Amino acid sequence: MHFKALILALAGTVLIGSTAFAETSESAAGDPLLTEEFPLTVVLDEERQIYAYSFEDNASFAATSLLSTENTLPYLWIATEDDDVQIRITRDGEAYAYSPTSVINAEGEYSVTVSHILRGNEEPVEVTFSADITETQDILTDGSGETIPEPIDGRLELKYDSGELYHEFIGGVRAVSSILDGETASSAVKLTIPDEITVSATRDGENYTFPSNGIIDQDGRYRLVMTCTDKNGALERRTMEFRICGGPTNSLGIFQPPYNAQLVSATLDGRELELSGNFVNCERDGRYEFTYDYGKLRRSTAVNVDTRAPVLKFNGTDDISFMEQVTVTSDAPCTYTIYKNGQPTDNSPVLTGTGVFRIYAEDSAGNKSNYRVEIKALSAVNPMNFVIIGALLAAGGVMYFVWNKKRRIKVR
């Protein structure tokens, strides 16, 4: 999520009365902190009251406070979009589980260390700030003196009504989903998210741009964080996870039903499996079907498990050494990545020319295998073979001459 979206999402917990910044707004804007201790430039975004800190190579991070070696703060939010900027936080001397989407408002003595390797350098530059977080109940206000409620955090709590799964956020804003939290689906997923809710997402652990139409159809593991702020500054943040397995997979391992759902039955290739708990060990390959109850709603899903790597044949054999071109075949559909003498090729399954080939095969479930094949030139055959063959032919010729001489008819 970009800083702008993060800032909007966190607005309810970072609003501060204008008097709180009266002394620092003018002096902070564009003010350099380029000293040996703080090799940074800081600029205040007066509209959002967010400080942007930049290293000399423009790598940056943002925070809700003007940081120094000693700070007494009601709360703190700090984040970066740059992969080469690392943020570490301790609370009362212990490691703190930092999240860029969370506001730190629990009382304690915090130490914030920001490290960055300047582009072109090898050693990191580190800056450390202190922050003593004090009681926030009387400080977090909406500008009119009204206390802002504590942020609501947790997993998405979906209700089912009139054929629709939904979660109602603060202010009555409703998110609608075709999938349960923690569910595994075999087809595309549809989520209807109104503009009042911001969404950050990952797919298989990598940042993922949530589609504008809300339709997700690629296989993978997804994690969504939905954040909603009402007109009074109250904030609600909900997390949901799900998985899409439209094709075969080799990484199911253990199947568990969605959160707050109860597994009812499971089958493998049509055969009923005995349930020993609210899970199934998917130890064998095949087509699994699972049925589970979520309150009064009964749902089911199917997953094809395939953990067998492709087996390759070369000219229909298991040989790996040839003196002719080689055709590669597989016992299952797969894609090839082929190198010849260490160099990439066009990945054609027909190997030509002399050299050492490394063939990597991967099927749709992610199973992989690799083989080494060599095509030799005729001249590459061991010369001793010709010597031995020549000697054998010569010996055979001598024996034939002797045998023929003994049988020759003598004329008296």
Side-chain angles (χ1 to χ4, degrees), residues 312 314 317-322 326 355-357 371-376:
L312 304 188
F314 308 101
T317 72
D318 294 325
D319 295 342
I320 58 172
S321 182
F322 299 87
V326 175
V356 175
F357 296 82
Y371 294 78
R372 180 186 182 276
V373 172
E374 184 175 7
I375 298 179
K376 297 179 179 180

Side-chain angles (χ1 to χ4, degrees), residues 23-132:
E23 297 181 1
T24 59
S25 294
E26 294 183 2
S27 61
D31 212 15
L33 295 179
L34 296 173
T35 66
E36 183 176 348
E37 187 175 9
F38 297 112
L40 300 167
T41 298
V42 59
V43 177
L44 172 64
D45 181 334
E46 295 190 16
E47 180 182 352
R48 298 186 178 90
Q49 297 296 316
I50 298 293
Y51 291 86
Y53 294 82
S54 301
F55 291 88
E56 57 187 72
D57 61 357
N58 293 323
S60 64
F61 63 96
T64 51
S65 298
L66 187 63
L67 302 172
S68 64
T69 53
E70 295 183 5
N71 291 278
T72 299
L73 306 170
Y75 54 85
L76 174 65
W77 170 78
I78 185 169
T80 180
E81 286 185 319
D82 293 317
D83 294 336
D84 53 2
V85 174
Q86 304 297 320
I87 298 174
R88 304 189 307 275
I89 299 178
T90 63
R91 178 189 178 196
D92 297 330
E94 301 290 336
Y96 179 80
Y98 156 74
S99 169
T101 60
S102 298
V103 174
I104 302 170
N105 58 8
E107 290 188 57
E109 295 183 1
Y110 294 83
S111 176
V112 181
T113 299
V114 183
S115 61
H116 169 59
I117 298 178
L118 295 171
R119 282 132 202 181
N121 292 1
E122 295 182 358
E123 296 298 323
V125 173
E126 287 195 346
V127 293
T128 300
F129 305 102
S130 296
D132 293 338

Side-chain angles (χ1 to χ4, degrees), residues 239-257:
T239 301
M240 78 174 301
E241 298 173 348
F242 58 87
R243 181 175 182 177
I244 299 177
C245 287
T249 179
N250 65 354
S251 60
L252 187 61
I254 296 177
F255 175 86
Q256 293 177 297

Side-chain angles (χ1 to χ4, degrees), residues 143-161:
S144 64
E146 294 294 327
T147 300
I148 298 173
E150 286 291 315
I152 301 171
D153 276 293
R155 303 200 70 90
L156 201 68
E157 298 174 357
L158 289 167
K159 297 180 180 180
Y160 179 71
D161 185 31

